[in-house]
Amino acid sequence: MAKVIPTLYAAHGETDPLNRNAKASTEIRRRAEADRFLGLVLSNGPEAQWRHLLDLQASGMDLETILMEIMAPAVRELGEMWLNDRMSFVEVTTKSARLQHMIRSLGRADCFQMVDGRASVLLAAAPGEQHTFGLFVLAELFLAAGWSVSLEANSPLDALCDLAESRRYDAIGMSVGSERFLPPVREQVSALRHATRSNTSRIFLGGWAFTSAGQSLDDYGADLVAIDGRSAVDRADVLLIDR
């Protein structure tokens, strides 16, 4: 098992000039749409934001692209503005909550509880964590990959342990958005692993708090630490195969 946090996979370059041009054109369009959406988020116009997302969906843009390349950059910018004292915590929380509601409306259901997935995952925010946008994005990605997903955005550790004990999950994922919530993570992972009473349940971690280089899995006791939603889903599949 790798001991360092996995980095994002680099895309293979295209050799066909037509493919390169088409890819570049698509990339330019997506960046333009992401910038436009950010402007709508900052202007505090939720109706205009929603119409923009619906227009993108109607044009053929798939849900994963909307989530990862249109909405996620806007939320990252909100986080940067808060850290740089350019926006209050209340403003960031309010705007993020609206975006989370839009994710649920764009996606499959208001309740992330499915019973027919090929594998099951419990996704939770670290206790005390209030920045949960990425968690909702990750839930959609796991649903799209065919997993059964249970999502707990605001549950204390004992409630998460009760869930892990009462139902056998193939994987448990915890999102940590802020570095100030990192110190207790190792103990939280240990408590969840004990609650599962099984060595076959895999525990993984993700979130913006893990973007710093040089951190080790040994620091947290998890089976996987990933900073990208797509790689989290792919590598969770590998973890199940390796059980």
Side-chain angles (χ1 to χ4, degrees), residues 14-229:
E14 297 286 349
T15 56
D16 188 336
L18 292 178
N19 286 342
R20 286 203 306 271
N21 290 338
K23 186 175 181 180
S25 177
T26 299
E27 198 67 30
I28 291 172
R29 182 210 168 198
R30 288 178 181 173
R31 284 200 300 268
E33 297 291 2
D35 289 342
R36 181 184 171 195
F37 183 71
L38 173 61
L40 294 173
V41 171
L42 296 179
S43 68
N44 201 31
E47 292 184 4
Q49 296 166 35
W50 179 238
R51 286 196 302 271
H52 183 58
L53 295 177
L54 290 180
D55 288 344
L56 292 177
Q57 199 170 49
S59 72
M61 187 175 290
D62 61 84
L63 179 61
E64 181 176 341
T65 300
I66 291 174
L67 294 177
M68 300 295 293
E69 299 187 29
I70 305 298
M71 300 182 77
V75 175
R76 283 196 293 271
E77 181 62 24
L78 292 178
E80 288 296 325
M81 293 179 73
W82 174 54
L83 290 174
N84 295 325
D85 293 324
R86 293 158 55 202
M87 184 175 290
S88 71
F89 177 78
V90 173
E91 288 178 296
V92 171
T93 301
T94 300
K95 291 179 183 294
S96 296
R98 287 174 182 165
L99 294 178
Q100 287 172 191
H101 177 74
M102 292 179 193
I103 289 177
R104 294 195 294 272
S105 298
L106 284 171
R108 293 154 188 78
D110 285 337
C111 179
F112 292 98
Q113 284 285 139
M114 299 181 65
V115 296
D116 57 350
R118 58 185 174 80
S120 60
V121 60
L122 170 63
L123 298 177
E129 180 62 70
Q130 298 186 45
H131 295 288
T132 56
F133 176 87
L135 191 66
F136 283 84
V137 172
L138 189 60
E140 282 293 347
L141 295 180
F142 270 100
L143 286 172
W147 287 64
S148 169
V149 179
S150 297
L151 187 144
E152 296 291 326
N154 297 289
S155 295
L157 182 60
D158 56 353
L160 296 178
C161 288
D162 287 343
L163 285 171
E165 184 177 4
S166 62
R167 175 181 172 184
R168 181 190 173 278
Y169 292 97
D170 294 293
I172 299 173
M174 189 165 70
S175 174
V176 189
S178 173
E179 290 185 9
R180 66 192 180 98
F181 291 109
L182 283 177
V185 165
R186 184 175 183 84
E187 291 183 7
Q188 292 164 353
V189 169
S190 178
L192 287 169
R193 200 178 294 281
H194 178 75
T196 64
R197 298 181 179 178
S198 169
N199 291 326
T200 60
S201 295
R202 299 306 189 191
I203 298 178
F204 66 93
L205 303 169
W208 294 340
F210 296 102
T211 55
S212 298
Q215 299 182 74
S216 167
L217 289 177
D218 290 335
D219 294 336
Y220 307 107
D223 298 300
L224 166 69
V225 180
I227 59 174
D228 175 76

